[in-house]
C-alpha cells in the first residue's frame, strides 16, 4: 500500500502541482481550476497519510481509491470528474475525524464553485459542516440542498436534521434567557474576546452563560452548557425551579447531540414539538382564543360579519376541546384539548384540521396511549410532546401546586401557557361571556391582565 500511495501522490502532484505553487492555467480541455484545487487538497491529505505510517484502516483505503478515481478523471480529456469529486468528499467524511471532515468541506466548497446548483454538493457541504459542529452554517447548506431537491421523500432525513440542529440551538437560547443573559450577549461572549468572562467571574453563572452560544461548535457548546449548569446548580441548589428547568434543557440538548429525534409512526405523521418549538411557532404572532358557543359560531359563518372579519385578522386562531358549534371548516390553527375523567381516556378521534394540536393530561403512559389512539393522520402538522402535557403543574414550566378546585379549563391552561412562553405579540379572548365565561378563580387571573374589553372580546395584554 505504501508504494501505491506514493505513486498516487506523485500522479496527483504531476497534475495539480505542489503546495505553494501558483495555480495552473487551464490548457485546452484540461481540468477546471476548481478541480485542480480539489486535487491539490487531496494531495496534501495523501501526504499527511503517508507520514502517519502504514495504512491498515479500510476506510482510509477506500478514500485513497476514491482519490485515485478522481485523479484518473482529471487526467482524462473530456471526462466529467464532478461525480468523482463528490464521491471523494463523501469518502473523506466517512473516514471520520476532523481531518476527514475538513477535507470533505474543502472539496464541497470546490464542488459548489463548479456547480452552484448541485444538490449533492450542497448536501456534502452541510454534512461536513455538521460533522465539524458548525451547526448554523450546516443549516444554511442543508437549506440550499432542499431548495434544489425535487424529491420530497429523499429530503426527509435532511429536514429532520435541520429540525434537530434548530431545536438544539433553541434550547441554548432558552437556557441563556433563563439565566438572564440575552442571546446576543451569549454569542458575543463566545467570540474571541473573553474580557467579559473575567468581569463575570464574581457573578458565578455569568461565566458559563457568556461562553455559551448556539453559534459555537457543537463540542464547545456542550462543554459550555455543562459548565453553565454546574455553576448555576452550585449557586442556587438543585431544588431551585430555574435550575431544574436548566437541567431539563441541558438533558434534552445532550439527547439531541447524540441522535436525531425519531418520527413516531403512531403519531400520524405529525411532527412533535416541545416548549422551544411552540415558542417559535407563536413568536411575534397575534393570537385569538375563540369560545365554542352557538352565537359565536353563527356570527363566524354569517357573510360580512364583523366578528368573522375580526377573527380572520389574527395570525393564529385557537379552539379548545370538542368543537361542537363551529363549522367543521372553521379555521383552527391551534387546537388544545384536556383529557378528563378516569384514565385510560377514550373518546372520539381528533379529526378537526389544525396546524398544531396540544393535548393536556397526566399520567404519562395513558397520555401517550390517548395520543396514539385518537390522533387522525393528516389532521395536524405538529403535536405537542410530553414536555407540554401538564404546563400548569410542571415545575419546569409554570409549576403551580395542584389544588382541590378540580382541573383547570383548557382555555385557562392555554392562556397561562401563552403567558409563560411570552412570545405572542398579542392574545385576545373572543366570546367568553355568559355560559362560556371561565370560573371565578380563572376570571380573576384574566382580569388582572385585561387591557381592553368590548361586546365580543376580552383583550389581554401579556407583555
Amino acid at each position: 500500500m505504501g508504494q501505491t500511495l506514493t505513486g498516487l501522490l506523485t500522479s496527483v502532484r504531476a497534475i495539480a502541482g505542489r503546495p505553494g505553487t501558483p495555480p495552473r492555467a487551464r490548457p485546452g480541455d484540461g481540468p477546471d481550476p476548481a478541480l485542480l484545487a480539489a486535487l491539490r487538497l487531496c494531495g496534501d491529505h495523501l501526504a499527511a497519510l503517508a507520514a502517519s505510517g502504514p495504512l491498515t484502516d479500510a476506510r482510509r483505503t477506500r478514500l485513497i481509491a476514491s482519490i485515485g478515481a478522481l485523479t484518473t478523471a482529471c487526467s482524462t480529456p473530456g471526462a466529467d470528474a464532478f461525480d468523482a469529486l463528490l464521491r471523494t468528499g463523501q469518502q473523506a467524511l466517512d473516514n471520520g475525524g476532523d481531518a476527514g471532515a475538513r477535507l470533505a468541506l474543502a472539496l464541497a466548497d470546490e464542488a459548489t464553485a463548479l456547480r452552484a446548483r448541485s444538490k449533492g454538493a450542497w448536501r456534502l457541504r452541510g454534512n461536513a459542516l455538521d460533522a465539524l459542529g458548525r451547526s448554523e452554517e450546516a443549516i444554511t447548506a442543508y437549506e440550499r440542498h432542499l431548495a434544489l431537491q425535487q424529491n420530497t421523500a429523499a429530503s426527509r432525513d435532511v429536514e429532520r436534521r435541520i429540525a434537530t440542529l434548530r431545536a438544539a440551538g433553541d434550547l441554548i437560547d432558552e437556557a441563556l434567557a433563563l439565566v438572564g443573559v440575552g442571546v446576543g450577549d451569549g454569542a458575543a461572549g463566545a467570540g474571541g474576546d473573553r474580557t467579559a468572562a473575567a468581569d463575570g467571574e464574581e457573578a458565578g453563572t455569568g461565566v458559563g452563560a457568556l461562553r455559551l452560544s448556539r453559534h459555537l461548535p457543537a463540542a464547545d457548546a456542550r462543554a459550555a452548557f455543562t459548565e453553565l449548569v454546574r455553576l448555576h446548580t452550585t449557586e442556587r441548589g438543585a431544588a431551585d425551579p430555574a435550575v431544574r428547568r436548566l437541567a431539563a434543557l441541558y438533558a434534552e440538548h445532550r439527547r439531541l447531540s447524540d441522535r436525531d429525534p425519531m418520527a413516531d409512526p403512531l403519531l400520524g405523521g405529525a411532527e412533535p414539538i416541545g416548549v422551544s418549538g411552540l415558542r417559535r411557532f407563536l413568536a411575534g404572532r397575534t393570537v385569538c382564543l375563540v369560545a365554542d358557543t352557538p352565537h359565536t359560531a353563527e356570527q363566524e359563518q354569517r357573510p360580512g360579519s364583523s366578528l368573522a372579519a375580526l377573527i380572520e385578522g389574527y395570525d393564529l386562531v385557537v379552539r379548545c376541546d370538542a368543537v361542537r358549534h363551529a363549522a367543521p371548516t372553521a379555521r383552527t390553527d391551534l387546537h388544545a384539548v384536556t383529557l378528563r375523567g378516569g384514565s385510560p381516556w377514550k373518546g372520539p378521534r381528533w379529526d378537526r384540521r389544525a396546524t398544531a394540536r396540544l393535548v393536556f393530561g397526566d399520567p404519562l403512559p395513558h397520555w401517550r396511549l390517548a395520543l396514539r389512539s385518537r390522533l387522525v393522520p393528516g389532521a395536524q402538522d405538529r403535536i405537542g410532546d410530553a414536555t407540554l402535557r401538564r404546563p400548569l403543574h410542571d415545575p419546569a414550566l409554570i409549576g403551580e401546586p395542584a389544588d382541590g378546585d378540580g382541573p383547570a379549563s383548557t382555555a385557562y391552561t392555554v392562556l397561562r401557557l401563552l403567558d409563560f412562553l411570552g412570545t405572542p405579540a398579542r392574545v385576545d379572548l373572543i366570546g367568553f361571556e355568559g355560559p362560556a365565561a371561565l370560573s371565578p378563580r380563572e376570571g380573576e387571573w384574566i382580569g388582572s391582565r385585561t387591557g381592553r374589553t368590548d361586546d365580543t372580546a376580552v383583550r389581554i395584554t401579556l407583555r
Side-chain angles (χ1 to χ4, degrees):
M1 176 59 71
Q3 291 180 344
T4 303
L5 177 58
T6 302
L8 177 57
L9 180 57
T10 301
S11 299
V12 169
R13 295 300 193 209
I15 297 171
R18 295 180 174 276
T21 59
R24 299 186 176 188
R26 184 176 183 177
D29 294 332
D32 187 284
L35 278 175
L36 292 177
L39 199 57
R40 183 178 298 182
L41 292 167
C42 291
D44 296 343
H45 193 78
L46 287 174
L49 290 179
S52 65
L55 301 178
T56 58
D57 189 297
R59 293 177 299 176
R60 289 187 175 184
T61 303
R62 288 193 292 268
L63 173 58
I64 292 169
S66 293
I67 295 175
L70 176 61
T71 305
T72 301
C74 288
S75 61
T76 303
D80 186 355
F82 188 78
D83 288 344
L85 174 60
L86 293 185
R87 285 194 295 271
T88 303
Q90 187 59 52
Q91 288 296 340
L93 198 57
D94 293 343
N95 192 51
D98 284 351
R102 285 194 297 269
L103 176 60
L105 177 59
L107 297 183
D109 287 341
E110 300 300 338
T112 55
L114 280 167
R115 298 184 187 177
R117 294 186 58 80
S118 167
K119 56 182 180 290
W122 284 107
R123 180 162 185 175
L124 176 62
R125 190 173 198 277
N127 289 341
L129 288 164
D130 200 352
L132 291 168
R134 293 158 60 176
S135 302
E136 296 299 310
E137 294 173 86
I139 290 174
T140 301
Y142 283 144
E143 288 177 335
R144 289 291 300 272
H145 165 80
L146 290 179
L148 297 165
Q149 176 64 268
Q150 301 299 316
N151 186 344
T152 305
S155 62
R156 285 173 183 161
D157 57 337
V158 177
E159 292 172 344
R160 282 196 298 270
R161 187 58 186 161
I162 290 174
T164 298
L165 295 175
R166 282 183 172 154
D170 290 344
L171 292 168
I172 289 176
D173 288 347
E174 185 175 345
L176 291 173
L178 189 66
V179 300
V181 176
V183 173
D185 297 334
D193 185 2
R194 300 290 189 205
T195 56
D199 296 335
E201 200 155 324
E202 296 180 0
T205 57
V207 180
L210 284 170
R211 291 186 58 236
L212 183 60
S213 166
R214 70 185 298 155
H215 300 284
L216 282 174
D220 294 341
R222 284 194 296 270
F225 211 154
T226 302
E227 181 67 6
L228 178 63
V229 173
R230 186 189 69 79
L231 291 170
H232 218 59
T233 303
T234 301
E235 181 181 289
R236 297 194 176 187
D240 184 84
V243 173
R244 295 180 65 179
R245 179 59 187 161
L246 186 63
L249 293 172
Y250 172 74
E252 179 65 7
H253 185 269
R254 289 303 300 265
R255 185 186 72 81
L256 291 177
S257 299
D258 293 336
R259 59 184 174 88
D260 290 345
M262 295 294 291
D264 189 338
L266 299 178
L267 295 184
E271 174 193 349
I273 59 171
V275 175
S276 297
L278 183 60
R279 179 177 279 119
R280 186 170 61 247
F281 177 69
L282 298 166
R285 294 180 164 184
T286 57
V287 181
C288 72
L289 185 59
V290 181
D292 184 45
T293 65
H295 172 72
T296 302
E298 187 271 331
Q299 289 292 316
E300 270 195 274
Q301 298 177 60
R302 178 182 297 177
S305 164
S306 60
L307 181 60
L310 175 66
I311 293 174
E312 190 59 32
Y314 288 89
D315 296 322
L316 295 175
V317 176
V318 183
R319 302 182 194 272
C320 298
D321 297 317
V323 183
R324 297 185 175 89
H325 300 292
T329 57
R331 176 183 161 200
T332 306
D333 300 298
L334 176 63
H335 176 235
V337 59
T338 300
L339 300 167
R340 302 187 185 279
S343 58
W345 299 286
K346 296 182 179 179
R349 303 186 78 188
W350 300 308
D351 56 1
R352 173 172 288 272
R353 174 64 189 162
T355 304
R357 201 178 309 277
L358 299 178
V359 180
F360 305 128
D362 204 30
L364 178 60
H366 295 304
W367 174 85
R368 284 177 174 155
L369 181 62
L371 255 63
R372 291 171 173 175
S373 62
R374 297 177 65 179
L375 286 177
V376 176
Q380 58 281 311
D381 300 324
R382 302 175 179 89
I383 179 69
D385 68 10
T387 64
L388 293 168
R389 65 187 174 85
R390 49 191 296 266
L392 285 179
H393 308 307
D394 188 339
L397 296 176
I398 299 169
E400 285 189 348
D403 53 35
D405 295 338
S409 69
T410 303
Y412 178 71
T413 302
V414 170
L415 288 171
R416 293 296 306 273
L417 179 58
L418 298 183
D419 181 47
F420 172 81
L421 296 175
T423 55
R426 169 175 160 181
V427 177
D428 293 351
L429 279 77
I430 295 180
F432 284 86
E433 67 274 334
L438 301 180
S439 70
R441 178 177 64 89
E442 295 174 353
E444 181 179 353
W445 181 87
I446 291 172
S448 68
R449 285 160 175 78
T450 298
R452 172 185 168 191
T453 63
D454 57 33
D455 292 338
T456 59
V458 178
R459 315 281 185 181
I460 298 181
T461 304
L462 293 178
R463 306 298 291 173

